[in-house]
């Protein structure tokens, strides 16, 4: 099927989703939620068919899986049977908003799908040349180790473990700032390592070509972070490595992807159990996806907020948008007298629900964040842009290091982006590009010095 026909087909799906959204019932309707979920599955199935993927362990498939749990799972599988199983749903919300939220989720995913087909892929002839330059990364591994060591020495690591175990441990303010840099350098190091592996052998992954320093530091970091009960950055590392390994060397079939998805969710839940997880009542399989499912409520809260207060015109996503520039948030707050509690949709939702912002946070999700800032048009436009961006960077990742950085960072956020702010990835994406640029510059100067000598 030609690209134009695929674009037209996906545009029809998007228009249908928009019609469904405006036809959503004003009161709770279970059958309508089921319809949206079925339509979601159909849209994703058509997308995968049109894309003719050879590798299913990519951003799209991971994102689609998480997106369903975050936006559509609760109203179909839990609201009727066990509506208050998870703590977030024990706070009141208007159930009549649920159909609109389900339809909005359907619009968002179809906008993403349409945006993905707006990008025209390169020809296979242009792809075969691959990557050509070798970029040193031992210095990045060293910086990763140093920043993580500083994080440990300043009390951040002990405080993180205490937060999950229930033991209060004081940490210095500097530990939080130091740790911001550790994942940025680690993810950049891993991306460069796969870039180098691809340069050495375009067609086969060879363990002997792997930088043992990078491997050791990555494994130690993941192990030590999991030991505290933290899963966020370890999951990012795992997703990044798996995404680039399957992109370059070992494509994964759909059946294997489904198996790995369930296996991954199970393993991450074991980490939750290890840190002392307790749930009222008997264990249920839905508990495995609890961290995703609880974010369904944020869609309802966002819609309720907009009905009462109107859209924020980007204010509620400004914190993550400004995050790439250190201290820029504080500068903007001081210069313009902005209330910092209004700069993040997760904080707005928490304050709206609990009345205050404390240790307990209710979070947000990608659709809630966009809708709170720019309403329905924002969901259509920004999700279309996200689909286009992912398709473009994935297509160019095998031939352009900066596209590889962008896709690699996005792949590492494929799970967490659905339950976070839209620009949640922006800091590490911008920093990753800068880190790789400086590393390439370092290599060029080194080569020139060698030639002069």
């Amino acid at each position: 099927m030609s690209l134009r026909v695929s674009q037209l087909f996906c545009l029809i799906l998007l228009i249908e989703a928009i019609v469904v959204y405006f036809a959503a019932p004003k009161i709770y309707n279970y059958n309508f939620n089921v319809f949206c979920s079925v339509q979601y599955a159909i849209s994703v199935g058509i997308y995968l068919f049109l894309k003719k993927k050879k590798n299913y362990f990519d951003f799209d498939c991971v994102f689609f899986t998480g997106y369903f749990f975050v936006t559509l799972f609760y109203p179909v599988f839990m609201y009727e049977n066990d509506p208050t199983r998870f703590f977030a749903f024990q706070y009141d919300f208007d159930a009549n908003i649920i159909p609109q939220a389900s339809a909005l989720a359907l619009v968002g995913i179809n906008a993403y799908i349409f945006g993905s087909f707006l990008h025209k892929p390169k020809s296979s002839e242009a792809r075969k040349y691959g990557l050509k330059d070798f970029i040193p990364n031992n210095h990045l591994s060293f910086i990763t180790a140093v920043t993580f060591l500083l994080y440990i020495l300043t009390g951040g690591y002990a405080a993180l473990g205490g937060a999950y175990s229930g033991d209060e441990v004081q940490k210095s303010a500097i530990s939080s700032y130091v740790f911001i840099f550790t994942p940025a350098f680690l993810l950049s190091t891993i991306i460069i390592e796969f870039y180098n592996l691809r340069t050495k052998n375009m067609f086969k992954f060879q363990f002997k070509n792997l930088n043992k320093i990078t491997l050791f530091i990555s494994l130690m970091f993941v192990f030590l972070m999991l030991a505290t009960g933290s899963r966020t950055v370890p999951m990012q590392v795992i997703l990044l490595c798996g995404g680039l390994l399957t992109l370059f060397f070992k494509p994964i079939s759909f059946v294997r992807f489904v198996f790995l998805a369930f296996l991954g969710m199970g393993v991450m839940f074991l980490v939750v159990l290890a840190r002392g997880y307790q749930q009222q009542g008997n264990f249920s399989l839905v508990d495995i996806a609890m961290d995703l499912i609880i974010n369904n409520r944020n869609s309802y809260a966002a819609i309720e907020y907009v009905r009462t207060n109107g859209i924020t015109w980007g204010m509620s996503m400004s914190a993550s948008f400004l995050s790439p520039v250190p201290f820029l948030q504080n500068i903007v707050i001081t210069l313009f007298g902005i209330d910092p509690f209004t700069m993040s949709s997760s904080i707005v939702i928490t304050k709206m629900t609990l009345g205050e912002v404390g240790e307990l946070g209710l979070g947000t999700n990608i659709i809630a964040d966009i809708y709170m800032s720019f309403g329905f048009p924002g969901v259509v436009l920004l999700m279309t842009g996200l689909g286009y961006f992912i398709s473009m960077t994935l297509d160019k990742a095998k031939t352009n290091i900066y596209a590889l950085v962008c896709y690699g960072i996005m792949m590492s956020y494929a799970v967490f982006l659905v339950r976070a702010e839209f620009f949640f990835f922006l800091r590490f994406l911008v920093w990753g590009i800068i880190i790789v640029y400086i590393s390439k510059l370092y290599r060029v100067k080194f080569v020139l010095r060698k030639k002069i000598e």
Side-chain angles (χ1 to χ4, degrees):
M1 190 176 292
S2 69
L3 178 62
R4 287 187 178 275
V5 174
S6 297
Q7 290 174 343
L8 179 60
F9 206 87
C10 292
L11 178 60
I12 293 173
L13 287 175
L14 175 57
I15 293 173
E16 179 195 6
I18 292 173
V19 171
V20 169
Y21 173 79
F22 284 105
K26 304 300 181 183
I27 59 174
Y28 172 78
N29 187 304
Y30 177 75
N31 291 332
F32 181 82
N33 296 320
V34 173
F35 171 81
C36 289
S37 296
V38 171
Q39 187 62 51
Y40 175 89
I42 292 173
S43 296
V44 170
I46 291 173
Y47 173 80
L48 296 178
F49 173 77
L50 295 176
K51 278 288 183 177
K52 299 178 181 178
K53 288 181 177 290
K54 295 181 179 179
N55 172 41
Y56 285 85
F57 195 97
D58 62 359
F59 179 91
D60 288 341
C61 293
V62 177
F63 183 78
F64 289 155
T65 303
Y67 189 95
F68 176 76
F69 281 104
V70 166
T71 60
L72 290 165
F73 186 90
Y74 176 78
V76 174
F77 296 101
M78 289 190 66
Y79 183 74
E80 295 275 326
N81 304 314
D82 197 0
T84 59
R85 181 174 186 83
F86 302 139
F87 81 94
F89 298 105
Q90 294 172 10
Y91 299 99
D92 291 337
F93 63 91
D94 186 357
N96 293 324
I97 291 177
I98 293 179
Q100 182 183 351
S102 298
L104 189 63
L106 183 63
V107 171
I109 206 63
N110 278 285
Y112 176 94
I113 288 172
F114 175 65
S116 181
F117 278 99
L118 287 181
H119 171 255
K120 183 179 180 181
K122 285 184 178 180
S123 65
S124 57
E125 183 69 20
R127 268 196 209 99
K128 73 178 184 180
Y129 295 104
L131 305 169
K132 300 177 182 180
D133 301 324
F134 179 85
I135 303 175
N137 65 344
N138 280 342
H139 62 295
L140 298 182
S141 297
F142 176 75
I143 295 173
T144 300
V146 169
T147 55
F148 188 56
L149 180 61
L150 288 174
Y151 177 67
I152 294 174
L153 294 177
T154 53
Y157 183 80
L160 181 65
Y164 288 115
S165 65
D167 300 327
E168 291 189 9
V169 180
Q170 293 295 325
K171 66 176 179 179
S172 64
I174 194 172
S175 64
S176 299
Y177 290 105
V178 169
F179 189 67
I180 291 175
F181 295 94
T182 305
F185 281 103
L186 178 60
L187 296 177
S188 300
T189 302
I190 294 171
I191 291 171
I192 290 177
E193 184 58 30
F194 274 95
Y195 177 94
N196 290 338
L197 288 171
R198 172 80 172 177
T199 301
K200 293 175 182 177
N201 191 323
M202 188 183 300
F203 303 104
K204 185 178 181 181
F205 175 81
Q206 294 180 309
F207 184 79
K208 66 178 182 179
N209 291 333
L210 195 62
N211 186 317
K212 303 307 184 293
I213 296 176
T214 300
L215 176 63
F216 174 76
I217 290 176
S218 299
L219 289 175
M220 283 298 296
F221 177 84
V222 169
F223 174 78
L224 289 173
M225 291 301 292
L226 287 176
T228 68
S230 174
R231 299 170 298 166
T232 303
V233 182
M235 174 62 80
Q236 286 187 266
V237 172
I238 293 170
L239 285 172
L240 175 60
C241 292
L244 297 188
L245 180 65
T246 56
L247 171 67
F248 285 149
F249 304 109
K250 298 180 181 296
I252 294 294
S253 67
F254 178 76
V255 174
R256 289 184 177 180
F257 168 75
V258 173
F259 171 77
L260 289 175
F262 281 107
L263 178 64
M265 292 173 67
V267 171
M268 289 298 106
F269 185 67
L270 290 178
V271 177
V272 176
L273 294 177
R275 70 189 191 195
Y277 163 79
Q278 292 181 345
Q279 173 64 47
Q280 295 180 353
N282 297 325
F283 168 78
S284 171
L285 283 176
V286 299
D287 294 346
I288 296 177
M290 175 185 65
D291 286 350
L292 297 175
I293 297 171
I294 59 175
N295 292 278
N296 281 246
R297 186 190 181 281
N298 295 320
S299 294
Y300 317 145
I303 293 174
E304 186 175 354
Y305 177 89
V306 172
R307 284 183 179 180
T308 305
N309 304 284
I311 61 176
T312 68
W313 295 103
M315 177 60 69
S316 57
M317 62 166 54
S318 59
S320 56
F321 183 77
L322 298 174
S323 65
V325 182
F327 308 111
L328 183 58
Q329 292 180 30
N330 293 333
I331 294 173
V332 170
I333 289 170
T334 302
L335 286 178
F336 299 98
I338 298 174
D339 181 357
F341 290 163
T342 65
M343 297 177 68
S344 169
S345 61
S346 61
I347 295 179
V348 173
I349 290 173
T350 296
K351 190 173 181 180
M352 181 179 72
T353 304
L354 305 181
E356 61 180 359
V357 180
E359 294 183 0
L360 178 63
L362 297 179
T364 186
N365 67 53
I366 189 170
I367 297 299
D369 186 60
I370 298 173
Y371 187 80
M372 191 176 290
S373 280
F374 300 111
F376 174 80
V379 172
V380 175
L381 293 176
L382 289 182
M383 289 300 289
T384 298
L386 179 63
Y388 179 88
F389 181 69
I390 294 298
S391 179
M392 178 188 66
T393 54
L394 175 58
D395 181 53
K396 296 181 178 180
K398 292 184 178 181
T399 59
N400 184 288
I401 180 59
Y402 298 110
L404 178 61
V405 172
C406 291
Y407 178 73
I409 295 297
M410 296 304 294
M411 183 67 201
S412 74
Y413 277 101
V415 169
F416 298 104
L417 182 59
V418 294
R419 55 189 288 258
E421 292 87 353
F422 180 81
F423 288 113
F424 191 58
F425 61 87
L426 196 57
R427 172 189 286 157
F428 286 169
L429 188 145
V430 172
W431 288 9
I433 291 174
I434 293 173
I435 290 170
V436 170
Y437 174 79
I438 294 174
S439 297
K440 285 196 70 176
L441 198 63
Y442 168 81
R443 174 192 173 277
V444 170
K445 289 183 178 180
F446 178 79
V447 171
L448 288 176
R449 191 185 308 119
K450 282 289 185 182
K451 287 183 178 180
I452 293 174
E453 293 174 354

